[in-house]
Amino acid sequence: MNANPLLCTSRVWPVLAAAAVALCGSVAVAEDAADSHQEPTSVQLELYGDLFTEYRNERREDGPNGDAFELQRALVGVEGSVGLGVASLEVESTRSVSPQSSFGIDGNALVLRVRRAEAGVEATGELWRVRAVAGVVRHGWVASTETGYRLRGMSEMVSERAGFVDPGDVGATAELGLWSDRLVVGAQLVNGEGRSDVERNDGKSVIGYARGRVLALDVHRGPLWLDLHVFGQEGSVGGGSARAHRLGTALTFVGPCPSAGLEWVRAWGVDDDASRVGMSFGAWAESRIATRWIGVHTRYDRIWTDVAFAEAKTHRTTVGLFSDLVEVDASRGRAGLRAYAAYELERSGDRAGDVAGVQALGNASRVRLVVELRGRGTVLGSGAGQ
Amino acid sequence: MNRSLCAVAALVALLAGVACADVSDEAARSTWLASTLTDDHLVVLERDPNLVAEKYAKMRSSLYRYFRGTAPQYWRDLADPQTPYVRTAFDALARDPVVLVGDPHLENVGSFRGSDGQIWAAINDFDIARRGPFHADLRRLVTSIFVAATSIEAQFAVMPDADRWANAVIDGYVDELTAIRDGALPLLVSGDAEQGAIVDDLFRRALRDGADREELLEYTEVVEGRRVFRTADVEPNGDGFANDGIEPATPEEAAYVRALLAQASFVATPPLTVTATEVGRRWGAGVGSYPNLRYYAIVPGVTLDDDVLLEVKEIRDIPSLPSLDAIEGLPFRTAGQRVAITASRYAARADGDVWLGWATDGGLSFRIRERTKYQKNIDVERIGENLGGGAWTDDDVVALGRIAGALLAQGHVAATWDGESNGRHLLALADARETLRADTLPFARAYADRIAADYLLFQDLLDTRGPLLGARVGWSQP
């Protein structure tokens, strides 16, 4: 019942069919594009990087207190294209390798790992774009929702934090964008174990995702848009092939001054346990106050580690200020140097902590000071002869 | 814009159909067992899958051995909302973590001998020691009583009074806290006084074999004036796992272990300098750590009779509990250091093992200790045999239970990693005996039932998925 050997259930067919259509489409379009474009091959190379680092002072309810400097993320990536060929490589540092790692000890090593390494083809027409890549690919849901998420320096999306989705996996992605990416539809076929683990069963995870721009306006201070995101995943994980099915939707709003969003994900199969059903909900907003030097942000996350129990949920509320110390272009929160100061309150139900029955092990309050540095630049962009 | 909305809505409808029939609890538990056991052995599966198959075979050979092999599953279960659930009445005390054994159970009680010849009992396995709430340890220890009772009942046709045994652990725990609160020194469970038939038997065997240097006689021989390891039969037996034995290490392994020992750190000061001559690979020992690398090294003494046997055993990481570890982390550079330091903090006397230490090589971490036959462990099967034969009674198991509870309590109160914090707040439990009983026993009974049910699932998994539970081996290294 839990096993998901590839193609063994009828439910995967709709998503697989979508993937096949997109893949075939991308190849066909790529061939057309190759035939029709006789112009010299273009070459482009972009370099980008993120650095999130923070100081955190944490107090537990009647429990251990402490403070620490942490490097949340140090990431460098490169994206390149040669004609229709595209490739990207992204490397990140991570503090927490997992138990049973063959290198470093759990939580006590700073190691580099590949977050994304994909290659394939991409072709673009007047109203469309198709892309097909394989390798370590970004999870379609994370890639889609982060296009409208401006608080990544503070926290990943709640579904990722809950462990319901991994930001990357080994597999293939086929994506179709229409009307200048106002509608993006994609399908993925991946191992299901996530980017840092080896495949442990014969099943594959099939993911379908879409992003549609339901509102796009130009107001006097710049463009604003509202995107609707959806995704579904039928998958399996672990040596036991426990189900790992997911369904999610999100709304992201980005304007010239404020941005905001909502995210909801339901997870059938949690922590290798096929019988558990989890859920996550997140809401966030941020806005500058008149000037780039000062802004406010807030965020609320709720994670149900098992929806069968009322006490199996955690809440996290964050409020704070930010300042865009260095701004690159108008890409607010996407490039530049931003500093956050925040107060965070976390509460867990009786069954949601690391040790069920000890409620307060999950209850904490934190003061966080976060520095977020993000940048992107073209290091090589030319056509032949340039 | 409308076209986008329609397309997205259509996809939502499609994806909604992708979800999601209910999964039966037992089927889910079965896949969870296969997944988590595989996760726990990923490195060893790549290195030597046969050893994992042998470990599983050993776990299959008895309920108690299965229990011993699933401590990481216990810690996962503690974080699982579905675990047979008894909320602790001691939330405030549990919030303040203490240094835990991580896997306390009856067979982790063993004997040590000091330099003056005194012998005593103590907890002796800290492979998954961590900081955490006290009741996680206590519940694990009491669960081991119920599992042992079930195992003995099935194997030896006796009717153990499991509730009485379990209550003895609680009484021993609380009595020790009470004594410490009232100013007494921690209880030393020594061979100087009678401790009940089971612990007395442990001491008797230890003194007999230890004095005979049985460890040297059993594992080594003298050839041309030099002590070397005998070659033992370490092939898997009819049950699929190896009998306890040592065979000479390969030259590469021997060089590796000598290098480890040369750079090892030791709890004792001043630091010891170790020069090993011969190295052997020990097979078949333990349950949880069965597939881990385990070497014995001979450190020559002044005479051949003074030679010392050191064990160099691979220690792996403990299950991650993010909210517990996030603030304090583990104040150790390696897993071997964590285990050695914790063992020294729990030791009733400092001279029980002067060779306690650790060594590291890249991602591999090792704990070092001396091996003598003065070190013996409680053996649940032996308890069953003697109960079945009428030599021992429930009273003797009760005495053992009280001792195990007392040893855990004194470790919880006194053991410290940072030299400052300890578990003195637990002394408040001295006035809460009945509440602690009500807090512990229902969980332990229910979890022991869970273990028994898991044991059947585990056997079924081995039958249906094969000796590695269906783990894919060799895929990551073509």
Side-chain angles (χ1 to χ4, degrees):
Chain A
M1 184 180 298
N2 304 317
N4 178 26
L6 184 58
L7 310 184
C8 76
T9 72
S10 60
R11 291 179 298 188
V12 307
W13 284 106
V15 182
L16 255 188
V21 168
L23 270 170
C24 293
S26 68
V27 172
V29 169
E31 285 173 351
D32 289 348
D35 291 342
S36 61
H37 291 78
Q38 298 300 320
E39 62 200 39
T41 302
S42 63
V43 178
Q44 183 141 11
L45 197 64
E46 282 194 344
L47 192 65
Y48 60 94
D50 294 344
L51 181 67
F52 305 158
T53 183
E54 80 168 274
Y55 167 80
R56 191 177 71 220
N57 186 294
E58 180 158 325
R59 302 191 70 78
R60 300 268 165 162
E61 203 171 272
D62 294 336
N65 303 314
D67 63 342
F69 288 97
E70 285 194 359
L71 180 66
Q72 297 286 8
R73 171 191 269 192
L75 176 154
V76 291
V78 59
E79 289 180 347
S81 64
V82 180
L84 295 177
V86 293
S88 61
L89 175 65
E90 195 173 284
V91 179
E92 66 176 347
S93 74
T94 177
R95 164 59 64 184
S96 295
V97 296
S98 61
Q100 294 298 320
S101 294
S102 55
F103 187 72
I105 77 168
D106 186 18
N108 231 354
L110 200 60
V111 298
L112 289 178
R113 71 176 169 196
V114 171
R115 181 181 172 88
R116 182 183 176 202
E118 58 187 30
V121 295
E122 181 172 280
T124 307
E126 195 170 328
L127 291 175
W128 53 266
R129 174 184 62 83
V130 291
R131 179 182 175 91
V133 291
V136 180
V137 297
R138 293 190 75 190
H139 194 294
W141 178 245
V142 176
S144 178
T145 51
E146 286 196 356
T147 59
Y149 181 51
R150 295 289 185 263
L151 294 173
R152 183 60 187 84
M154 285 296 296
S155 171
E156 59 273 70
M157 301 283 284
V158 63
S159 58
E160 184 182 339
R161 189 167 71 79
F164 297 159
V165 296
D166 193 288
D169 205 343
V170 184
T173 300
E175 188 174 280
L176 172 66
L178 295 172
W179 308 299
S180 303
D181 276 355
R182 291 193 167 204
L183 175 66
V184 175
V185 182
Q188 297 182 300
L189 189 63
V190 295
N191 278 341
E193 316 295 341
R195 67 196 186 286
S196 50
D197 288 313
V198 296
E199 170 72 322
R200 292 176 200 173
N201 60 51
D202 290 334
K204 297 289 173 287
S205 291
V206 184
I207 301 164
Y209 62 91
R211 180 178 80 242
R213 183 143 300 172
V214 295
L215 179 68
L217 295 173
D218 274 318
V219 293
H220 72 283
R221 294 182 64 182
L224 63 79
W225 65 88
L226 178 69
D227 284 349
L228 172 65
H229 313 255
V230 296
F231 93 110
Q233 168 182 314
E234 173 158 55
S236 64
V237 68
S241 298
R243 66 177 178 175
H245 306 332
R246 307 286 184 259
L247 194 64
T249 185
L251 273 175
T252 56
F253 169 79
V254 176
C257 191
S259 75
L262 302 166
E263 185 208 16
W264 171 88
V265 170
R266 191 171 177 95
W268 289 266
V270 176
D271 290 344
D272 290 332
D273 185 345
S275 69
R276 278 170 65 184
V277 178
M279 199 158 67
S280 65
F281 171 78
W284 67 92
E286 55 93 57
S287 180
R288 288 179 180 170
I289 304 173
T291 157
R292 72 180 171 91
W293 294 105
I294 188 76
V296 294
H297 64 95
T298 184
R299 176 181 180 85
Y300 174 73
D301 289 352
R302 178 181 281 203
I303 298 170
W304 291 258
T305 54
D306 190 334
V307 297
F309 300 98
E311 316 96 314
K313 58 177 178 280
T314 65
H315 313 256
R316 179 187 284 184
T317 306
T318 308
V319 293
L321 303 171
F322 68 85
S323 177
D324 285 316
L325 302 174
V326 176
E327 187 177 47
V328 179
D329 300 329
S331 53
R332 192 170 53 82
R334 309 298 293 177
L337 179 64
R338 172 179 279 196
Y340 295 94
Y343 176 75
E344 203 163 81
L345 192 64
E346 189 160 318
R347 287 284 177 270
S348 293
D350 280 359
R351 293 177 189 249
D354 275 345
V355 178
V358 185
Q359 181 185 32
L361 284 175
N363 288 352
S365 59
R366 306 181 187 92
V367 174
R368 299 177 62 194
L369 304 173
V370 178
V371 176
E372 171 189 313
L373 177 64
R374 313 184 82 167
R376 174 181 282 270
T378 302
V379 294
L380 181 63
S382 68
Q386 286 188 325
Chain B
M1 188 190 313
N2 288 338
R3 281 177 299 185
S4 298
L5 196 54
C6 291
V8 169
L11 191 63
V12 170
L14 176 68
L15 295 174
V18 170
C20 293
D22 284 342
V23 176
S24 85
D25 287 347
E26 288 309 284
R29 184 73 179 182
S30 179
T31 57
W32 178 86
L33 273 179
S35 291
T36 55
L37 285 166
T38 302
D39 288 353
D40 292 339
H41 297 96
L42 280 181
V43 172
V44 193
L45 278 167
E46 291 295 332
R47 191 169 68 198
D48 192 344
N50 290 337
L51 285 180
V52 178
E54 290 175 28
K55 173 180 173 176
Y56 290 162
K58 192 167 188 179
M59 288 165 63
R60 183 181 194 150
S61 65
S62 84
L63 172 64
Y64 199 84
R65 283 177 175 160
Y66 172 80
F67 167 76
R68 285 184 56 178
T70 50
Q73 279 62 39
Y74 171 73
W75 279 98
R76 287 186 180 88
D77 272 333
L78 287 187
D80 186 338
Q82 298 179 351
T83 300
Y85 172 71
V86 182
R87 190 187 194 292
T88 180
F90 301 102
D91 202 46
L93 293 176
R95 287 172 203 167
D96 200 353
V98 297
V99 177
L100 301 180
V101 176
D103 182 24
H105 64 84
L106 279 186
E107 291 191 344
N108 278 347
V109 174
S111 57
F112 289 89
R113 179 180 175 270
S115 52
D116 59 358
Q118 187 181 44
I119 194 159
W120 67 87
I123 295 170
N124 64 6
D125 185 338
F126 299 90
D127 284 6
I128 56 173
R130 65 176 317 126
R131 280 173 63 82
F134 79 97
H135 74 300
D137 251 6
L138 183 60
R139 288 178 176 188
R140 175 82 177 163
L141 177 59
V142 177
T143 300
S144 82
I145 293 276
F146 285 109
V147 175
T150 306
S151 196
I152 287 170
E153 186 177 346
Q155 255 182 300
F156 299 100
V158 293
M159 291 292 291
D161 191 346
D163 274 355
R164 194 170 157 232
W165 298 2
N167 274 301
V169 175
I170 306 291
D171 288 331
Y173 191 85
V174 174
D175 287 348
E176 182 67 4
L177 293 177
T178 306
I180 295 171
R181 184 197 62 184
D182 294 343
L185 290 172
L187 175 70
L188 182 66
V189 184
S190 79
D192 301 342
E194 289 191 358
Q195 303 291 353
I198 299 173
V199 176
D200 290 347
D201 171 69
L202 175 79
F203 290 156
R204 182 185 57 76
R205 288 184 291 126
L207 287 169
R208 179 195 64 202
D209 295 347
D212 289 346
R213 298 304 308 271
E214 184 72 22
E215 69 279 5
L216 295 180
L217 295 173
E218 184 178 349
Y219 298 132
T220 71
E221 59 187 342
V222 177
V223 176
E224 297 175 353
R226 198 155 164 264
R227 191 175 294 284
V228 297
F229 285 102
R230 295 177 196 276
T231 300
D233 177 13
V234 293
E235 290 303 308
N237 58 28
D239 292 325
F241 57 92
N243 296 317
D244 189 355
I246 297 181
E247 64 176 0
T250 63
E252 293 78 16
E253 286 178 311
Y256 180 73
V257 173
R258 286 192 197 101
L260 284 173
L261 288 170
Q263 53 88 24
S265 302
F266 293 91
V267 174
T269 53
L272 299 165
T273 303
V274 183
T275 307
T277 53
E278 297 295 317
V279 176
R281 173 87 187 262
R282 188 177 183 198
W283 303 90
V287 180
S289 59
Y290 182 99
N292 293 11
L293 298 171
R294 196 187 298 250
Y295 296 102
Y296 273 24
I298 298 171
V299 179
V302 177
T303 70
L304 286 171
D305 290 340
D306 298 325
D307 289 350
V308 170
L309 269 189
L310 295 187
E311 181 191 68
V312 181
K313 176 184 155 188
E314 179 187 9
I315 304 291
R316 303 219 48 96
D317 294 326
I318 53 179
S320 176
L321 295 177
S323 77
L324 273 182
D325 299 335
I327 287 297
E328 301 190 71
L330 296 170
F332 303 113
R333 297 183 68 82
T334 70
Q337 185 187 21
R338 170 180 54 80
V339 172
I341 294 290
T342 308
S344 72
R345 301 294 193 262
Y346 264 79
R349 285 179 46 170
D351 59 349
D353 186 353
V354 297
W355 295 89
L356 193 59
W358 64 93
T360 305
D361 173 60
L364 287 178
S365 179
F366 296 87
R367 190 276 323 275
I368 298 164
R369 64 175 173 172
E370 183 183 6
R371 295 306 283 164
T372 81
K373 292 290 183 178
Y374 288 118
Q375 299 160 355
K376 296 274 187 186
N377 278 46
I378 294 293
D379 182 345
V380 166
E381 246 182 70
R382 188 175 176 85
I383 294 174
E385 283 169 7
N386 282 282
L387 286 174
W392 294 347
T393 67
D394 276 334
D395 288 346
D396 298 316
V397 187
V398 165
L400 171 63
R402 294 181 69 92
I403 286 171
L407 293 175
L408 189 66
Q410 60 186 239
H412 281 175
V413 172
T416 169
W417 278 350
D418 56 13
E420 294 176 3
S421 62
N422 58 34
R424 291 195 68 82
H425 60 287
L426 298 183
L427 297 180
L429 291 168
D431 296 323
R433 183 185 306 263
E434 295 312 314
T435 314
L436 186 62
R437 209 186 299 283
D439 197 64
T440 308
L441 294 183
F443 174 93
R445 274 191 213 102
Y447 196 71
D449 290 345
R450 179 70 264 171
I451 294 284
D454 285 353
Y455 180 49
L456 298 177
L457 292 175
F458 176 69
Q459 294 177 65
D460 186 54
L461 281 169
L462 287 172
D463 290 338
T464 55
R465 289 174 176 253
L468 293 176
L469 306 180
R472 292 157 56 110
V473 175
W475 277 79
S476 63
Q477 295 173 358

